[in-house]
Amino acid sequence: MNTPVKCRVYPLEGYLPEGESLQHQIALRHRKGKVWHWLFLTSTIIGIIVLTALLYNIIDQSFGLVVVQNQIDPETLAINGVPLENLTKEQLVSILEQYVSKGVMRRLESEIPFAVRDWENVYQLVQERVIRPEIVLTWRLTESILHRNEIAALVAEQYPKGKLQFRAWINPDFIRGHQSSVPALAGVRTAILGSLWVISITILVAFPLGLGAAIYLEEYAKDNVVTRFIQTNISNLGGVPSIIYGMLGLAVFVRALEPLTSGAIFGVGDPATANGRTVLSASLTLVLLVLPLLITNAREAIRAVPRSLREASYALGATRWETTWHHVLPYAMPGILTGTILAISRAIGETAPLVVVGASTFVSLDPASPFSKFTVLPVQIYQWTSRPQSQFRHVAAAAIIVLLLLLLSLNSFAVLLRNRYRRSV
């Protein structure tokens, strides 16, 4: 027999507002709603303004007029009427031997033998050591557009031998070129390849580790003191400054595991990277950095899967692993990939831990394996912005655009993958 439920009955008269009091409360609620609406709109507008100012500053420095003066006219280096850019590698080496001292040639040969250098590397040496173009003055894009006539008059008066030209600091030569101490010849190819190597290994190691730990903590681990202690510490590790991870990576991967990270244990080590400051050490350090974020985001996505889905699977006789693999993971995968995007985005832009681990500020050869010396785009940007020559600020702005494009490309791929999983659920 059901027990009757007693409900307290409030008298309507005098309890709910009526008449003018009701209208006053409704008007007050609408005014509060409008205030919050404008606060939200103001926050959005401030964010858009800050982002626009950032992009404007980067683009404004990436293009503009420059004055270039060559120490030697490239047309005078043509051989039998063949322009410099069409000469063979051997002819370029002969030009170097003609204009560069024997001591410098011996040093270049000891760094990298000319037999190993490719045509592009030798051509860049000719540009850097023989032609020696110097950008003596630069202007931003806005100044170049608004004050072009005044700039042309100034150059004609103060730099009669200089050549005024519009320069896009980000161009195919900048993407393909190697690093250089001359701003006009500086390239970002080595840093792009270094970033791709480091991020690729980071994703390959961190994603399965993070996903596996999240599955265990949410689907298998018992709710006891040890599990809660582990979960709390994983959450806390996400807020540790990145420089701490750099010091940990230096102690563990560079020093303690040097035979492994330098490749010496496999017999493929390079004497130049025998100290363990390699792509592999940098990647493993970034794995430590992003792992707490990956685990936390993956746990939240797995926890959001409805309990009824698991119970229905168990009711049909599925095991815990079959339920997790066939029902929980496909449902949670869009959220897991969203968290992965955020974690990898943080890893791409990190500088401090990689500087501690040993990212080189000047690398003349492209990284060819996990055991190669490396540099990455954020470290290269930091190195260029710290130089005293103002021209390197334009080079750094162009490198920032490359970094943003690389980041957007990786994120777009992850978003496409996430949307594909979302449609299949």
Side-chain angles (χ1 to χ4, degrees):
M1 182 176 180
N2 295 332
T3 304
V5 179
K6 294 181 179 179
C7 298
R8 187 175 180 180
V9 178
Y10 292 94
L12 293 178
E13 186 176 354
Y15 179 72
L16 296 175
E18 297 175 349
E20 292 184 358
S21 177
L22 176 61
Q23 296 300 324
H24 175 72
Q25 284 198 8
I26 292 175
L28 182 62
R29 288 163 53 199
H30 280 287
R31 281 199 296 273
K32 287 182 178 178
K34 287 183 179 178
V35 169
W36 283 110
H37 168 80
W38 283 107
L39 284 176
F40 296 147
L41 180 61
T42 303
S43 302
T44 305
I45 292 174
I46 290 175
I48 293 174
I49 291 174
V50 171
L51 181 60
T52 305
L54 172 66
L55 293 177
Y56 167 75
N57 187 48
I58 294 172
I59 294 174
D60 196 38
Q61 293 192 67
S62 301
F63 302 89
L65 292 171
V66 298
V67 179
V68 182
Q69 284 184 336
N70 294 325
Q71 297 296 322
I72 294 179
D73 189 353
E75 295 181 357
T76 62
L77 300 176
I79 299 177
N80 298 328
V82 179
L84 185 68
E85 54 272 16
N86 292 337
L87 296 179
T88 64
K89 174 185 167 182
E90 289 72 21
Q91 290 172 320
L92 293 176
V93 173
S94 68
I95 292 176
L96 276 174
E97 291 172 342
Q98 182 180 353
Y99 286 91
V100 177
S101 66
K102 294 183 178 178
V104 173
M105 287 297 291
R106 282 196 297 271
R107 182 165 60 83
L108 293 174
E109 177 70 19
S110 64
E111 291 176 354
I112 305 172
F114 281 98
V116 179
R117 295 177 187 266
D118 56 14
W119 183 91
E120 289 183 358
N121 188 276
V122 179
Y123 180 76
Q124 186 172 5
L125 283 178
V126 173
Q127 291 275 342
E128 187 175 342
R129 302 283 178 175
V130 180
I131 299 175
R132 287 182 288 174
E134 182 183 4
I135 297 178
V136 293
L137 271 181
T138 63
W139 290 269
R140 292 181 172 225
L141 178 61
T142 308
E143 295 172 332
S144 303
I145 295 174
L146 299 179
H147 307 288
R148 185 179 180 86
N149 293 334
E150 293 88 339
I151 292 172
L154 176 69
V155 172
E157 179 183 355
Q158 297 186 4
Y159 301 97
K161 296 183 179 179
K163 183 178 180 182
L164 180 65
Q165 60 186 28
F166 185 85
R167 182 182 180 88
W169 290 90
I170 178 168
N171 52 58
D173 291 335
F174 178 71
I175 303 296
R176 294 193 301 262
H178 292 273
Q179 293 177 319
S180 173
S181 59
V182 180
L185 304 177
V188 77
R189 167 179 163 174
T190 308
I192 292 175
L193 293 176
S195 292
L196 291 176
W197 266 104
V198 171
I199 290 301
S200 299
I201 297 177
T202 301
I203 295 174
L204 289 176
V205 177
F207 184 74
L209 282 179
L211 183 57
I215 291 174
Y216 177 79
L217 290 174
E218 288 300 320
E219 300 294 326
Y220 290 90
K222 296 180 179 178
D223 185 14
N224 53 31
V225 176
V226 176
T227 303
R228 287 195 291 273
F229 177 77
I230 294 173
Q231 292 172 348
T232 303
N233 281 281
I234 288 174
S235 301
N236 291 334
L237 285 174
V240 173
S242 59
I243 189 73
I244 304 300
Y245 288 101
M247 295 172 68
L248 180 62
L250 177 67
V252 176
F253 302 125
V254 176
R255 293 175 178 166
L257 300 179
E258 177 188 321
L260 172 66
T261 54
S262 65
I265 197 172
F266 305 109
V268 295
D270 187 339
T273 59
N275 54 11
R277 299 177 186 273
T278 59
V279 170
L280 185 58
S281 297
S283 302
L284 295 177
T285 303
L286 291 184
V287 168
L288 297 179
L289 177 68
V290 302
L291 208 49
L293 298 176
L294 276 174
I295 295 174
T296 303
N297 292 325
R299 284 184 56 212
E300 293 296 332
I302 293 173
R303 194 179 300 165
V305 177
R307 187 68 189 169
S308 58
L309 198 65
R310 298 179 176 85
E311 292 172 350
S313 178
Y314 294 144
L316 293 174
T319 63
R320 188 184 296 273
W321 163 244
E322 290 169 340
T323 300
T324 302
W325 179 257
H326 293 289
H327 301 286
V328 176
L329 276 183
Y331 200 92
M333 192 53 73
I336 294 173
L337 289 177
T338 301
T340 305
I341 293 170
L342 296 175
I344 298 304
S345 299
R346 181 184 177 187
I348 290 178
E350 279 295 340
T351 305
L354 299 184
V355 170
V356 176
V357 168
S360 303
T361 54
F362 191 93
V363 180
S364 56
L365 287 180
D366 299 334
S369 75
F371 310 112
S372 301
K373 288 176 65 178
F374 74 101
T375 187
V376 291
L377 281 168
V379 172
Q380 195 62 62
I381 293 168
Y382 167 75
Q383 192 261 341
W384 279 332
T385 53
S386 61
R387 290 218 174 186
Q389 300 97 322
S390 60
Q391 295 88 341
F392 277 108
R393 288 200 292 269
H394 300 279
V395 181
I400 290 173
I401 293 179
V402 175
L403 178 61
L404 291 177
L405 291 176
L406 179 64
L407 181 63
L408 290 176
S409 301
L410 293 176
N411 285 353
S412 299
F413 176 74
V415 168
L416 289 175
L417 201 61
R418 182 189 64 187
N419 293 338
R420 182 180 177 185
Y421 272 103
R422 184 171 292 170
R423 285 194 297 269
S424 64
V425 174

